[in-house]
Amino acid sequence: MIVGSAEFECIIYDAHSLKEKRAVLQRIISRLKQKFNISVAEVGYQDLWQRSALAIVTVSSSRMATERELQNALLFLDSFPEIERTLTNIEWL
């Protein structure tokens, strides 16, 4: 069993309030969960309007499958124009 996690920071340029930030994140997180076999959570900067830290975790029987799922989820996240992924840290357990 291989557990892969990706923790990354995001910038949401058009958010001018926490409510706007939450709306963007909620939509993106729900679409990620629907499309991929992953868990997603906001893990940092919850009190800042235009910044966030998210974590994605997935479990699989092989490292290759786990890595593919994480990379596909990150590529999908990058397709959203309202959010920019910056620092990314991937770990294997």
Side-chain angles (χ1 to χ4, degrees):
M1 175 178 73
I2 301 293
V3 178
S5 70
E7 188 173 336
F8 50 91
E9 294 184 12
C10 298
I11 300 171
I12 306 166
Y13 293 108
D14 293 334
H16 301 292
S17 68
L18 287 176
K19 186 175 181 178
E20 289 177 7
K21 173 189 168 182
R22 299 274 183 265
V24 169
L25 288 179
Q26 192 71 9
R27 186 171 57 83
I28 291 171
I29 288 171
S30 67
R31 294 191 59 201
L32 279 167
K33 287 180 180 179
Q34 288 172 357
K35 190 167 177 78
F36 301 99
N37 184 24
I38 59 173
S39 292
V40 185
E42 185 179 12
V43 294
Y45 307 113
Q46 286 133 338
D47 55 343
L48 298 179
W49 295 356
Q50 295 183 326
R51 192 171 179 191
S52 181
L54 298 175
I56 296 175
V57 178
T58 187
V59 179
S60 180
S61 60
S62 73
R63 181 176 171 141
M64 194 165 79
T66 302
E67 187 171 355
R68 184 175 52 244
E69 193 75 8
L70 278 179
Q71 291 299 328
N72 287 338
L74 291 173
L75 285 173
F76 183 70
L77 176 85
D78 291 341
S79 72
F80 289 92
E82 61 266 45
I83 194 167
E84 179 183 343
R85 180 169 53 100
T86 58
L87 303 173
T88 303
N89 182 32
I90 297 177
E91 293 182 11
W92 309 100
L93 304 169

